[in-house]
Amino acid sequence: MRNFVSRSKSSKQLISHDAKNNAYNYKHTFILELAPICRDDLVILPKKVSKDLGGIGPLVIVYKISTFVHIVDIHTMQTFEIDQVTYWKNEFSAVCSRERLSEFVVLSVEDTDVDCNVSRAAARQKFKLVTVQLAKVEDFGVNDKTFFVKTHLGEVLNYNDHVLGYDLEKINVTEIEDFSNNYNN
């Protein structure tokens, strides 16, 4: 399969053969392994990959999966494609996947003062760096806790929209702590 980030192995084992009829019976085995990441996953890139991509991330969002892993760094709006060979040499998995998304309400959307060098892929995906004020839906009206976050979805977000995002306060931080310890060494 070459439509996804995958690797495959195949083998055959001789089961029996008939020397008179020159007939051979083989047992064929095929293994296909798909990359364990999906669209909208939050991933931490390995130090080598981050460095090879010009210092992107290391905390990035996967915005598309094809034969490449397409990632966006929401701080710089840089997008990159990681090919299959690079991915399997430096495997990484999701820190958070879609099951961990929380629902928020958009309270305000403001353009950032940061001058981003937007890549063609980012422009094609309609990514725009903005600062958004959010409140959790479950807390909305109960308390005044709001979050200011930068996002790449500035072209599509409006006031009072309901959006899904990762609540990093509720995430088990051992993966991030492990990353920090390994990344700084």
Side-chain angles (χ1 to χ4, degrees), residues 101-138:
L101 290 170
S102 300
E103 189 174 4
F104 293 89
V105 175
V106 177
L107 302 176
S108 69
V109 179
E110 300 173 10
D111 287 333
T112 59
D113 295 333
V114 178
D115 184 27
C116 293
N117 185 9
V118 178
S119 65
R120 286 183 288 160
R124 197 171 340 129
Q125 295 292 329
K126 297 185 179 178
F127 293 159
K128 178 182 176 187
L129 185 63
V130 295
T131 301
V132 179
Q133 183 180 11
L134 302 171
K136 289 187 82 168
V137 169
E138 61 193 40

Side-chain angles (χ1 to χ4, degrees), residues 58-177:
L59 193 63
V60 296
I61 294 177
V62 177
Y63 71 90
K64 183 179 176 183
I65 295 286
S66 60
T67 53
F68 293 88
V69 177
H70 301 263
I71 57 173
V72 60
D73 181 352
I74 61 155
H75 297 293
T76 63
M77 295 304 294
Q78 291 178 305
T79 58
F80 289 96
E81 299 172 345
I82 300 172
D83 65 358
Q84 295 184 39
V85 174
T86 304
Y87 176 80
W88 291 111
K89 280 184 184 176
N90 306 287
E91 282 186 61
F92 53 89
S93 59
V95 173
C96 297
S97 58
R98 286 184 171 192
E99 301 88 44
R100 303 291 296 269
L101 290 170
S102 300
E103 189 174 4
F104 293 89
V105 175
V106 177
L107 302 176
S108 69
V109 179
E110 300 173 10
D111 287 333
T112 59
D113 295 333
V114 178
D115 184 27
C116 293
N117 185 9
V118 178
S119 65
R120 286 183 288 160
R124 197 171 340 129
Q125 295 292 329
K126 297 185 179 178
F127 293 159
K128 178 182 176 187
L129 185 63
V130 295
T131 301
V132 179
Q133 183 180 11
L134 302 171
K136 289 187 82 168
V137 169
E138 61 193 40
D139 295 341
F140 194 63
V142 176
N143 60 33
D144 293 335
K145 189 171 184 178
T146 60
F147 304 92
F148 286 92
V149 297
K150 290 183 181 177
T151 181
H152 61 292
L153 300 174
E155 290 288 335
V156 295
L157 291 181
N158 294 309
Y159 170 74
N160 213 23
D161 283 349
H162 285 241
V163 296
L164 296 175
Y166 294 109
D167 186 358
L168 297 179
E169 288 182 333
K170 290 189 175 181
I171 292 175
N172 184 359
V173 294
T174 56
E175 295 94 357
I176 295 173
E177 288 174 355

Side-chain angles (χ1 to χ4, degrees), residues 6-68:
S6 62
R7 62 181 169 190
S8 61
K9 293 181 182 179
S10 64
S11 65
K12 66 180 183 178
Q13 180 179 6
L14 180 63
I15 301 297
S16 65
H17 89 283
D18 184 0
K20 280 185 179 177
N21 298 331
N22 201 21
Y24 297 88
N25 291 324
Y26 289 100
K27 175 183 175 183
H28 294 271
T29 304
F30 299 97
I31 298 172
L32 178 67
E33 183 178 3
L34 298 177
I37 53 177
C38 299
R39 193 178 108 201
D40 298 331
D41 281 354
L42 185 66
V43 299
I44 296 177
L45 295 176
K47 191 173 187 176
K48 182 182 183 323
V49 174
S50 179
K51 185 178 177 183
D52 290 347
L53 295 177
I56 186 174
L59 193 63
V60 296
I61 294 177
V62 177
Y63 71 90
K64 183 179 176 183
I65 295 286
S66 60
T67 53
F68 293 88

